[in-house]
Amino acid sequence: MIGQRAPLVTSSWTDRAAALDAADPLRAHRDRFLTGPDDDVVAYLDGNSLGRPLVASAGRIEDFVRTQWAGRLIRGWDEGWLDLPLEVGDRIGRICLGAAAGQTVVGDSTTVLLYKLARAAVELRPGRDEVVVDTDNFPTDRYVLEGIAAERGLTLRWVESDRHSGVEPADLAPALSERTALVVLSHVAYRSGHLAPAAALTRLVHDVGALVLWDLSHSVASVPLELDAWDVDLAVGCTYKYLNGGPGAPAFGYVAHRHLEEFRQPVQGWLGRADPFEMAAGYQPAAGIRRVLSGTPPVLGMLALQDMLDLLEEVGMPAVRAKSVELSAFAAAVAEDWLGPAGVTLATPAEPDRRGAHLTLEHPGFRALTPRLWARGVIPDFRSPQGLRLGLSPLSTSFAEVLAGLAAVRDLLADRT
Ligand SMILES: *Cc1c(COP(=O)(O)O)cnc(C)c1O
C-alpha cells in the first residue's frame, strides 16, 4: 500500500516529516492561509471538502464591501460585475483546466450546473435514450441524472463501480452503445480518491458517438487537467474545495467550443439571453458560453476564489501535483506502518498516478472515532460505511500536520477499549 518511497523505520517519521517540509518548494505559501482566532486546529485534513481561506481573501472581501459595493452601488454591474462569471471562468480554464478562453463560466451550485449541462447534453443527442453513470458517483450526480431520466423518458445505465477504486475503461465499455446519449463520471472519486483515466474514457465515449460530462469537483486545482487536449465535451466542478472559494462558493461549468452553437440549457433566464437589458419578448440564447448563465451572478461568492487562482497561477499546477503526490505517499506509508497493525486498510489505489489528492482509510471503528478526532483538533471526515477520508490540500497542508493527524488516529484507535 506504500507509494514510491522506500520503506522507512518507524522512529524516523518525525524526522522524515521535518525533512520533507524543509525540502518542500511550496512551504512558504502555507503562511498565506488564515488560521482561526483560537487556532485550535492540530491537523486540517478536509481541504478537499472546504478549503481554508487565504489571508488575501479577508482583505479582498472587506475591500469589495467598502469600496465597490458601498461606493459603486448599482453602477458596479456595468463596471465589471456582469462579466465576472466569464472572466473568472476563463482564468479557471487557463490556470486549472487546460481550457482555452470562452468555454468556462462560473455560476449556480455544482448540482444546478450539472443539471443544466446534462440536460442540454441529452438534447444534443436526439434519438438516443440512455445515460450512463456509475453506482459510486457522488450522490448529487446520481440524483440529478435520475431526475433528468424521469423528465425526458431516458434510461439510466449503471456501471457498477468499486468503492475502493473507480471507473476504468474495462468497466465502462460494456455499458456503451449507439443508444448512449451521455456519460457522467467523476474524475477523482469522492470516496476512494481514484483518478479516472479521463482521456481514454472520453475516447471510448466518443467511439459510440456519445458525449461525456466530467465532474471535476475533487480534481480541479489538485490534479492538472487538459480538457481541450482530451477532447472533453462538458465539465462541472466546485470552487469551495481545492479552489478555496469559501462555503457555498459557486460552481464552474465548461462547454467545448464545438458544442456551443447548438447548446440549449433548460433554465432560460434573462442573463443568459442575447441582449438581456432589452427585456424583449421571447428567449434567445446569448452567443457563446454566456448562454449557460441564468440569473444574477454571485459576485460575493466569486471573490475568495480569485485569490486562490492568483496563488495557483504563481505556483503552477505541476508543482501542486508534485507536492500532492508526496503528501499522499507519505500519509499512505505512515498509515501502513502505524495503523496497519490495528487493522486499518487503504481504500485508495496504491499507485500515485491512479489517485487524486485525498486518501481514504478503512476501519470499523472510524465512525465512532471521527468526533473524538475533531474534539482534538484533528479534522478529517467520515464517509460511510467505514472510511476516514484524509484531504491533503497541497498548498495548505504540511507533512508535520499529516503526521500529527495520523498520530491522533493511532492513539485513539489504541485507546478504544
Ligand atoms: C462536492 C461535490 C459536489 C457538490 O455539489 P454542490 O451542489 O456544491 O453541493 C458535487 N459533485 C461532486 C463530485 C462533489 O465532490
Side-chain angles (χ1 to χ4, degrees):
M1 94 185 216
I2 304 189
Q4 305 292 48
R5 197 164 298 286
L8 295 152
V9 290
T10 309
S11 58
S12 73
W13 287 127
T14 307
D15 293 346
R16 185 73 201 148
L20 285 164
D21 276 323
D24 171 13
L26 304 185
R27 70 182 178 285
H29 302 303
R30 289 208 314 274
D31 296 338
R32 290 161 72 163
F33 293 87
L34 204 54
T35 43
D38 29 326
D39 201 10
D40 61 343
V41 177
V42 173
Y44 187 55
L45 303 175
D46 221 347
N48 60 326
S49 192
L50 179 66
R52 282 179 178 272
L54 282 155
V55 176
S57 297
R60 184 192 291 264
I61 291 167
E62 168 149 25
D63 181 64
F64 182 88
V65 174
R66 292 188 183 281
T67 61
Q68 292 229 35
W69 182 2
R72 302 315 298 159
L73 295 166
I74 196 177
R75 295 170 291 186
W77 290 114
D78 294 332
E79 295 169 357
W81 300 347
L82 279 173
D83 291 325
L84 271 179
L86 277 72
E87 264 176 43
V88 178
D90 279 346
R91 285 197 78 203
I92 296 174
R94 179 166 51 79
I95 298 167
C96 303
L97 307 181
Q103 305 176 98
T104 311
V105 78
V106 178
D108 307 310
S109 64
T110 303
T111 302
V112 170
L113 210 45
L114 179 78
Y115 172 75
K116 289 162 68 173
L117 265 53
R119 179 62 204 277
V122 298
E123 304 302 329
L124 289 173
R125 286 295 177 271
R128 292 177 173 238
D129 65 351
E130 290 186 356
V131 174
V132 175
V133 61
D134 68 293
T135 51
D136 206 38
N137 207 334
F138 192 78
T140 217
D141 299 52
R142 290 183 273 118
Y143 307 153
V144 161
L145 295 174
E146 284 170 7
I148 291 175
E151 198 177 11
R152 304 295 298 141
L154 307 171
T155 301
L156 284 190
R157 184 166 286 279
W158 295 95
V159 174
E160 286 291 333
S161 53
D162 179 348
R163 74 165 199 272
H164 300 139
S165 174
V167 179
E168 290 285 334
D171 307 312
L172 182 63
L176 301 174
S177 73
E178 68 290 343
R179 294 178 64 175
T180 314
L182 174 68
V183 177
V184 178
L185 297 169
S186 284
H187 185 221
V188 171
Y190 81 102
R191 209 199 301 254
S192 72
H194 170 265
L195 175 65
L201 291 168
T202 297
R203 269 194 305 276
L204 269 185
V205 173
H206 289 172
D207 285 348
V208 297
L211 299 177
V212 69
L213 192 169
W214 284 102
D215 189 326
L216 307 174
S217 293
H218 282 283
S219 47
V220 65
S222 73
V223 179
L225 297 160
E226 292 295 341
L227 299 189
D228 288 351
W230 297 340
D231 211 21
V232 165
D233 301 296
L234 306 144
V236 295
C238 295
T239 66
Y240 52 80
K241 293 173 175 166
Y242 298 103
L243 277 169
N244 304 57
F252 66 86
Y254 164 95
V255 180
H257 269 309
R258 63 185 176 281
H259 296 305
L260 276 171
E261 203 174 317
E262 313 263 300
F263 183 90
R264 296 286 184 280
Q265 56 92 356
V267 187
Q268 300 187 160
W270 66 312
L271 288 180
R273 189 187 189 279
D275 288 334
F277 296 99
E278 289 297 311
M279 313 277 174
Y283 178 81
Q284 287 169 13
I289 191 74
R290 194 178 281 279
R291 66 181 53 190
V292 176
L293 299 182
S294 298
T296 303
V299 174
L300 291 174
M302 285 185 273
L303 295 177
L305 89 99
Q306 295 180 58
D307 296 304
M308 191 60 178
L309 288 170
D310 290 346
L311 177 54
L312 289 163
E313 185 164 38
E314 193 181 317
V315 167
M317 279 309 302
V320 170
R321 175 63 174 164
K323 164 97 183 268
S324 169
V325 166
E326 293 265 333
L327 271 175
S328 55
F330 177 71
V334 176
E336 178 172 33
D337 186 24
W338 280 358
L339 310 178
V344 172
T345 56
L346 182 68
T348 298
E351 309 86 337
D353 60 349
R354 289 187 62 229
R355 62 191 184 206
H358 70 270
L359 287 182
T360 298
L361 304 174
E362 288 196 335
H363 188 280
F366 280 156
R367 189 187 294 272
L369 207 73
T370 306
R372 298 177 63 206
L373 286 167
W374 282 37
R376 287 195 173 195
V378 173
I379 313 179
D381 63 21
F382 177 75
R383 284 291 175 270
S384 186
Q386 53 172 8
L388 192 71
R389 212 169 52 149
L390 311 178
L392 310 173
S393 194
L395 283 158
S396 58
T397 309
S398 69
F399 292 89
E401 191 177 2
V402 171
L403 195 67
L406 289 169
V409 176
R410 177 196 60 193
D411 295 350
L412 287 176
L413 265 183
D415 173 59
R416 271 191 323 143
T417 46

Coordinates of all heavy atoms in Angstrom, one line a residue, residues 66-136:
R66 N -16.5 47.6 1.1 CA -16.4 49.1 1.4 C -16.3 49.9 0.2 O -16.8 51.0 0.2 CB -15.1 49.3 2.3 CG -15.2 48.7 3.6 CD -14.0 49.1 4.5 NE -14.2 48.5 5.8 CZ -15.0 48.9 6.8 NH1 -15.7 50.0 6.6 NH2 -15.1 48.2 7.9
T67 N -15.5 49.5 -0.8 CA -15.3 50.4 -1.9 C -16.3 50.1 -3.1 O -17.0 51.0 -3.5 CB -13.9 50.3 -2.5 OG1 -13.6 49.0 -2.9 CG2 -12.9 50.8 -1.4
Q68 N -16.3 48.8 -3.5 CA -17.1 48.5 -4.7 C -18.6 48.5 -4.4 O -19.4 49.2 -5.1 CB -16.7 47.2 -5.3 CG -15.3 47.2 -5.8 CD -15.3 46.6 -7.2 OE1 -16.3 46.7 -8.0 NE2 -14.3 45.9 -7.5
W69 N -19.0 47.8 -3.4 CA -20.5 47.7 -3.1 C -21.0 49.0 -2.6 O -21.9 49.6 -3.2 CB -20.7 46.5 -2.1 CG -22.1 46.3 -1.7 CD1 -23.2 46.9 -2.2 CD2 -22.6 45.3 -0.8 NE1 -24.4 46.4 -1.6 CE2 -24.0 45.4 -0.8 CE3 -21.9 44.4 0.0 CZ2 -24.7 44.6 0.1 CZ3 -22.7 43.6 0.8 CH2 -24.1 43.7 0.9
A70 N -20.3 49.5 -1.5 CA -20.8 50.8 -0.9 C -20.6 51.9 -1.8 O -21.4 52.9 -1.9 CB -20.1 51.0 0.4
G71 N -19.5 51.9 -2.6 CA -19.1 53.1 -3.4 C -19.8 53.1 -4.8 O -20.3 54.1 -5.2
R72 N -19.8 52.0 -5.4 CA -20.3 52.0 -6.8 C -21.8 51.6 -6.9 O -22.4 52.0 -7.8 CB -19.5 51.0 -7.6 CG -18.0 51.2 -7.7 CD -17.6 52.7 -7.9 NE -18.1 53.2 -9.2 CZ -18.3 54.5 -9.5 NH1 -18.1 55.4 -8.6 NH2 -18.8 54.8 -10.6
L73 N -22.3 50.9 -5.9 CA -23.7 50.6 -5.8 C -24.1 50.0 -7.2 O -23.3 49.2 -7.7 CB -24.5 51.8 -5.4 CG -24.3 52.3 -4.0 CD1 -24.8 53.6 -3.7 CD2 -24.8 51.2 -3.0
I74 N -25.3 50.3 -7.7 CA -25.7 49.6 -8.9 C -24.9 49.8 -10.1 O -24.9 49.0 -11.0 CB -27.2 50.0 -9.2 CG1 -27.8 49.0 -10.1 CG2 -27.3 51.4 -9.7 CD1 -29.3 49.2 -10.4
R75 N -24.1 50.9 -10.1 CA -23.2 51.1 -11.2 C -22.2 50.0 -11.4 O -21.6 49.8 -12.5 CB -22.4 52.5 -11.0 CG -23.4 53.7 -11.0 CD -22.6 54.9 -10.6 NE -22.3 54.9 -9.1 CZ -21.7 55.9 -8.5 NH1 -21.5 57.1 -9.1 NH2 -21.5 55.8 -7.2
G76 N -21.9 49.3 -10.3 CA -20.9 48.2 -10.4 C -21.3 47.1 -11.4 O -20.4 46.5 -12.0
W77 N -22.6 46.9 -11.7 CA -22.9 45.9 -12.6 C -22.4 46.2 -14.0 O -21.9 45.3 -14.7 CB -24.5 45.7 -12.8 CG -25.1 45.1 -11.5 CD1 -25.9 45.7 -10.6 CD2 -24.8 43.8 -11.1 NE1 -26.2 44.8 -9.6 CE2 -25.6 43.6 -9.9 CE3 -24.1 42.7 -11.5 CZ2 -25.6 42.4 -9.1 CZ3 -24.1 41.5 -10.8 CH2 -24.9 41.4 -9.6
D78 N -22.4 47.5 -14.4 CA -21.8 47.9 -15.7 C -20.3 48.0 -15.7 O -19.7 48.2 -16.7 CB -22.4 49.2 -16.1 CG -23.9 49.1 -16.4 OD1 -24.4 48.0 -16.7 OD2 -24.6 50.1 -16.2
E79 N -19.8 48.1 -14.5 CA -18.3 48.3 -14.4 C -17.5 47.0 -14.2 O -16.4 47.1 -13.7 CB -18.1 49.3 -13.2 CG -18.7 50.7 -13.5 CD -18.7 51.6 -12.3 OE1 -18.2 51.2 -11.2 OE2 -19.1 52.8 -12.5
G80 N -18.2 45.9 -14.5 CA -17.4 44.7 -14.4 C -18.1 43.5 -13.8 O -17.7 42.3 -14.0
W81 N -19.0 43.8 -12.9 CA -19.6 42.6 -12.1 C -20.3 41.6 -13.1 O -20.2 40.4 -12.9 CB -20.6 43.1 -11.1 CG -20.1 44.0 -10.0 CD1 -18.8 44.2 -9.7 CD2 -20.8 44.7 -9.1 NE1 -18.7 45.1 -8.7 CE2 -19.9 45.4 -8.3 CE3 -22.2 44.9 -8.8 CZ2 -20.3 46.3 -7.2 CZ3 -22.6 45.8 -7.8 CH2 -21.7 46.4 -7.0
L82 N -21.0 42.1 -14.1 CA -21.7 41.2 -15.0 C -20.8 40.4 -15.8 O -21.2 39.3 -16.3 CB -22.6 42.0 -16.0 CG -23.9 42.5 -15.4 CD1 -24.7 43.4 -16.4 CD2 -24.8 41.3 -15.0
D83 N -19.5 40.8 -16.0 CA -18.6 40.0 -16.8 C -17.8 39.0 -15.9 O -17.0 38.2 -16.5 CB -17.6 40.9 -17.5 CG -18.4 41.7 -18.6 OD1 -19.3 41.1 -19.2 OD2 -18.0 42.8 -18.9
L84 N -17.9 39.1 -14.6 CA -17.1 38.3 -13.7 C -17.3 36.8 -14.0 O -16.3 36.0 -14.0 CB -17.4 38.5 -12.2 CG -16.6 39.6 -11.6 CD1 -17.1 39.7 -10.1 CD2 -15.1 39.3 -11.6
P85 N -18.5 36.3 -14.2 CA -18.7 34.8 -14.5 C -17.8 34.3 -15.6 O -17.3 33.2 -15.6 CB -20.2 34.6 -14.8 CG -20.8 35.8 -14.1 CD -19.8 36.9 -14.2
L86 N -17.7 35.1 -16.7 CA -16.9 34.7 -17.8 C -15.4 35.0 -17.6 O -14.5 34.1 -18.0 CB -17.3 35.5 -19.1 CG -18.5 34.9 -19.8 CD1 -19.8 35.1 -19.0 CD2 -18.7 35.4 -21.2
E87 N -15.1 36.1 -16.9 CA -13.7 36.4 -16.6 C -13.0 35.4 -15.7 O -11.9 34.9 -15.9 CB -13.6 37.8 -16.0 CG -13.3 38.9 -16.9 CD -13.3 40.2 -16.2 OE1 -12.7 40.3 -15.1 OE2 -13.9 41.1 -16.8
V88 N -13.7 35.1 -14.6 CA -13.2 34.2 -13.6 C -13.2 32.8 -14.2 O -12.3 32.0 -14.0 CB -14.0 34.2 -12.3 CG1 -13.5 33.2 -11.3 CG2 -13.9 35.6 -11.7
G89 N -14.3 32.5 -15.0 CA -14.3 31.2 -15.7 C -13.1 31.0 -16.6 O -12.5 29.9 -16.6
D90 N -12.8 32.0 -17.4 CA -11.6 31.9 -18.3 C -10.3 31.7 -17.5 O -9.4 30.9 -17.9 CB -11.4 33.2 -19.1 CG -12.3 33.2 -20.3 OD1 -12.9 32.1 -20.7 OD2 -12.5 34.2 -21.0
R91 N -10.2 32.3 -16.3 CA -9.0 32.1 -15.5 C -8.9 30.7 -15.0 O -7.9 30.1 -14.9 CB -9.0 33.1 -14.3 CG -8.6 34.5 -14.7 CD -8.2 35.3 -13.5 NE -6.9 35.0 -13.0 CZ -6.4 35.2 -11.8 NH1 -7.2 35.7 -10.9 NH2 -5.1 35.0 -11.5
I92 N -10.1 30.2 -14.5 CA -10.1 28.8 -14.0 C -9.7 27.9 -15.2 O -8.9 27.0 -15.1 CB -11.5 28.4 -13.5 CG1 -11.8 29.2 -12.3 CG2 -11.5 26.9 -13.2 CD1 -13.3 29.0 -11.8
G93 N -10.2 28.2 -16.4 CA -9.9 27.4 -17.6 C -8.4 27.4 -17.9 O -7.8 26.3 -18.1
R94 N -7.9 28.6 -17.9 CA -6.4 28.7 -18.3 C -5.5 28.1 -17.2 O -4.6 27.3 -17.5 CB -6.1 30.2 -18.5 CG -4.7 30.4 -18.8 CD -4.5 31.9 -19.4 NE -5.1 32.9 -18.5 CZ -4.5 33.4 -17.4 NH1 -3.3 32.9 -17.0 NH2 -5.1 34.3 -16.7
I95 N -5.8 28.4 -15.9 CA -4.8 28.0 -14.9 C -5.0 26.5 -14.4 O -4.0 25.8 -14.1 CB -5.0 29.0 -13.6 CG1 -4.7 30.4 -14.1 CG2 -4.2 28.5 -12.5 CD1 -5.1 31.5 -13.1
C96 N -6.3 26.1 -14.5 CA -6.5 24.7 -13.9 C -7.0 23.7 -14.9 O -6.9 22.5 -14.6 CB -7.6 24.8 -12.8 SG -7.1 26.0 -11.5
L97 N -7.8 24.1 -15.9 CA -8.5 23.1 -16.7 C -7.8 22.8 -18.0 O -8.3 21.8 -18.7 CB -9.9 23.6 -17.0 CG -10.8 24.0 -15.8 CD1 -12.2 24.4 -16.3 CD2 -10.9 22.9 -14.8
G98 N -6.9 23.5 -18.5 CA -6.3 23.3 -19.8 C -7.4 23.6 -20.8 O -7.6 22.9 -21.8
A99 N -8.1 24.7 -20.6 CA -9.2 25.1 -21.5 C -9.0 26.5 -22.0 O -8.7 27.4 -21.3 CB -10.6 25.1 -20.7
A100 N -9.1 26.6 -23.3 CA -8.9 27.9 -24.0 C -10.1 28.8 -23.6 O -11.2 28.3 -23.1 CB -8.9 27.8 -25.5
A101 N -10.0 30.1 -23.7 CA -11.0 31.1 -23.3 C -12.3 30.8 -24.0 O -12.4 30.3 -25.1 CB -10.5 32.5 -23.6
G102 N -13.4 31.3 -23.3 CA -14.7 31.3 -23.9 C -15.5 30.0 -23.8 O -16.5 29.7 -24.4
Q103 N -15.0 29.1 -22.9 CA -15.7 27.8 -22.7 C -16.0 27.5 -21.2 O -16.7 26.5 -21.0 CB -14.7 26.6 -23.2 CG -14.3 26.8 -24.6 CD -13.3 25.7 -25.0 OE1 -13.7 24.7 -25.6 NE2 -12.0 25.8 -24.6
T104 N -15.6 28.4 -20.3 CA -15.8 28.1 -18.9 C -16.5 29.3 -18.3 O -16.3 30.5 -18.6 CB -14.5 27.9 -18.2 OG1 -13.7 27.0 -18.9 CG2 -14.6 27.4 -16.8
V105 N -17.5 29.0 -17.4 CA -18.3 30.1 -16.8 C -18.5 29.7 -15.3 O -18.5 28.5 -15.0 CB -19.6 30.2 -17.6 CG1 -20.6 29.1 -17.3 CG2 -20.2 31.5 -17.5
V106 N -18.7 30.7 -14.5 CA -19.0 30.5 -13.1 C -20.4 30.9 -12.7 O -20.9 31.9 -13.1 CB -18.0 31.3 -12.2 CG1 -18.3 31.1 -10.7 CG2 -16.6 30.9 -12.5
G107 N -21.1 30.0 -12.0 CA -22.4 30.4 -11.5 C -23.2 29.2 -11.0 O -22.8 28.0 -11.3
D108 N -24.2 29.4 -10.2 CA -25.1 28.3 -9.7 C -24.2 27.4 -8.7 O -23.1 27.7 -8.5 CB -25.7 27.4 -10.8 CG -26.4 28.2 -11.8 OD1 -27.3 29.0 -11.5 OD2 -26.2 28.0 -13.0
S109 N -24.9 26.4 -8.2 CA -24.1 25.4 -7.4 C -23.7 24.3 -8.4 O -24.2 24.2 -9.5 CB -25.0 24.8 -6.4 OG -26.1 24.1 -7.0
T110 N -22.8 23.4 -8.0 CA -22.4 22.3 -8.9 C -23.7 21.5 -9.3 O -23.8 21.0 -10.4 CB -21.4 21.4 -8.1 OG1 -20.3 22.3 -7.8 CG2 -20.9 20.3 -9.0
T111 N -24.5 21.2 -8.3 CA -25.8 20.4 -8.6 C -26.6 21.1 -9.7 O -27.0 20.4 -10.6 CB -26.6 20.3 -7.3 OG1 -25.8 19.8 -6.2 CG2 -27.8 19.5 -7.5
V112 N -26.8 22.4 -9.6 CA -27.7 23.0 -10.6 C -27.0 23.1 -11.9 O -27.6 22.9 -13.0 CB -28.1 24.4 -10.1 CG1 -28.8 25.2 -11.1 CG2 -29.0 24.3 -8.8
L113 N -25.7 23.4 -11.9 CA -25.0 23.5 -13.2 C -24.9 22.1 -13.9 O -25.0 22.0 -15.1 CB -23.6 24.0 -12.9 CG -22.9 24.8 -14.0 CD1 -23.9 25.8 -14.7 CD2 -21.7 25.6 -13.5
L114 N -24.8 21.1 -13.0 CA -24.7 19.7 -13.6 C -26.1 19.4 -14.3 O -26.1 18.8 -15.3 CB -24.5 18.7 -12.4 CG -24.5 17.2 -12.8 CD1 -23.2 16.9 -13.4 CD2 -24.7 16.4 -11.6
Y115 N -27.2 19.8 -13.6 CA -28.5 19.6 -14.2 C -28.6 20.4 -15.6 O -29.0 19.8 -16.6 CB -29.6 20.1 -13.3 CG -30.9 20.1 -14.0 CD1 -31.6 19.0 -14.2 CD2 -31.5 21.3 -14.4 CE1 -32.8 19.0 -14.9 CE2 -32.7 21.3 -15.1 CZ -33.4 20.1 -15.3 OH -34.6 20.1 -16.0
K116 N -28.1 21.6 -15.6 CA -28.3 22.4 -16.8 C -27.4 21.8 -17.9 O -27.9 21.7 -19.1 CB -27.8 23.8 -16.5 CG -28.9 24.6 -15.7 CD -28.3 25.9 -15.0 CE -28.0 26.9 -16.0 NZ -27.6 28.2 -15.3
L117 N -26.2 21.4 -17.6 CA -25.3 20.8 -18.6 C -25.7 19.4 -19.1 O -25.7 19.1 -20.3 CB -23.9 20.8 -18.2 CG -23.0 22.0 -18.6 CD1 -23.7 23.4 -18.2 CD2 -21.6 22.0 -18.0
A118 N -26.1 18.6 -18.2 CA -26.5 17.2 -18.5 C -27.8 17.3 -19.3 O -28.0 16.5 -20.3 CB -26.7 16.4 -17.3
R119 N -28.7 18.1 -18.9 CA -30.0 18.2 -19.7 C -29.8 18.8 -21.1 O -30.3 18.3 -22.0 CB -30.9 19.1 -18.8 CG -32.2 19.5 -19.3 CD -33.1 18.3 -19.4 NE -34.1 18.7 -20.4 CZ -35.2 19.4 -20.2 NH1 -35.5 19.7 -18.9 NH2 -36.0 19.8 -21.1
A120 N -28.9 19.7 -21.2 CA -28.5 20.3 -22.5 C -27.8 19.2 -23.4 O -28.1 19.1 -24.6 CB -27.6 21.5 -22.4
A121 N -27.0 18.4 -22.7 CA -26.2 17.4 -23.5 C -27.2 16.3 -24.1 O -27.0 15.9 -25.2 CB -25.2 16.7 -22.5
V122 N -28.2 15.9 -23.3 CA -29.1 14.8 -23.9 C -29.9 15.4 -25.1 O -30.2 14.7 -26.0 CB -30.0 14.1 -22.8 CG1 -29.1 13.4 -21.8 CG2 -30.9 15.1 -22.2
E123 N -30.1 16.7 -25.1 CA -30.8 17.3 -26.2 C -29.9 17.4 -27.4 O -30.4 17.5 -28.6 CB -31.3 18.8 -25.9 CG -32.2 18.9 -24.6 CD -33.4 18.1 -24.7 OE1 -34.0 17.9 -25.8 OE2 -33.9 17.7 -23.6
L124 N -28.6 17.3 -27.2 CA -27.6 17.3 -28.3 C -27.5 16.0 -29.0 O -26.8 15.8 -30.0 CB -26.2 17.8 -27.9 CG -26.1 19.3 -27.5 CD1 -24.7 19.5 -26.9 CD2 -26.3 20.2 -28.7
R125 N -28.1 15.0 -28.4 CA -28.1 13.6 -28.9 C -29.5 13.0 -29.1 O -29.8 12.0 -28.5 CB -27.2 12.7 -28.0 CG -25.7 13.0 -28.1 CD -25.2 12.6 -29.5 NE -23.7 12.9 -29.7 CZ -23.3 14.1 -30.1 NH1 -24.1 15.1 -30.4 NH2 -22.0 14.3 -30.3
P126 N -30.3 13.7 -29.9 CA -31.7 13.2 -30.1 C -31.7 11.8 -30.6 O -30.8 11.4 -31.4 CB -32.3 14.2 -31.1 CG -31.1 14.8 -31.8 CD -30.0 14.8 -30.8
G127 N -32.7 11.0 -30.2 CA -32.9 9.7 -30.7 C -32.1 8.7 -29.8 O -32.3 7.5 -29.9
R128 N -31.2 9.1 -29.0 CA -30.5 8.2 -28.1 C -31.2 8.3 -26.7 O -31.5 9.4 -26.2 CB -29.0 8.6 -27.9 CG -28.3 8.4 -29.3 CD -26.9 8.9 -29.2 NE -26.1 8.5 -30.4 CZ -25.0 7.8 -30.4 NH1 -24.5 7.3 -29.3 NH2 -24.5 7.5 -31.5
D129 N -31.3 7.2 -26.0 CA -32.2 7.2 -24.9 C -31.6 6.6 -23.6 O -32.2 6.2 -22.7 CB -33.5 6.4 -25.2 CG -33.2 4.9 -25.4 OD1 -32.0 4.5 -25.6 OD2 -34.2 4.1 -25.5
E130 N -30.2 6.6 -23.6 CA -29.6 6.1 -22.3 C -28.5 7.1 -21.8 O -27.8 7.7 -22.6 CB -28.9 4.7 -22.6 CG -29.9 3.6 -22.8 CD -29.2 2.3 -22.9 OE1 -28.0 2.1 -22.9 OE2 -30.0 1.3 -23.0
V131 N -28.5 7.2 -20.5 CA -27.4 8.0 -19.8 C -26.7 7.0 -18.9 O -27.3 6.3 -18.1 CB -28.1 9.1 -19.0 CG1 -27.0 9.9 -18.2 CG2 -28.8 10.1 -19.9
V132 N -25.4 7.1 -19.0 CA -24.5 6.1 -18.2 C -23.9 6.9 -17.0 O -23.4 8.0 -17.2 CB -23.4 5.5 -19.1 CG1 -22.5 4.7 -18.3 CG2 -24.0 4.8 -20.3
V133 N -24.0 6.2 -15.9 CA -23.4 6.8 -14.7 C -23.0 5.6 -13.8 O -23.5 4.5 -13.9 CB -24.4 7.8 -13.9 CG1 -25.7 7.0 -13.5 CG2 -23.8 8.5 -12.8
D134 N -22.0 5.9 -12.9 CA -21.6 4.7 -12.0 C -22.2 4.8 -10.7 O -22.6 5.9 -10.2 CB -20.1 4.7 -11.9 CG -19.5 5.8 -11.2 OD1 -19.5 7.0 -11.7 OD2 -18.9 5.6 -10.1
T135 N -22.3 3.6 -10.1 CA -23.1 3.5 -8.8 C -22.4 4.2 -7.6 O -23.1 4.5 -6.7 CB -23.3 2.0 -8.5 OG1 -22.0 1.3 -8.5 CG2 -24.2 1.3 -9.4
D136 N -21.1 4.4 -7.7 CA -20.4 5.1 -6.6 C -20.1 6.6 -7.0 O -19.3 7.2 -6.3 CB -19.2 4.4 -6.2 CG -18.8 4.6 -4.7 OD1 -19.8 4.7 -3.9 OD2 -17.6 4.8 -4.4

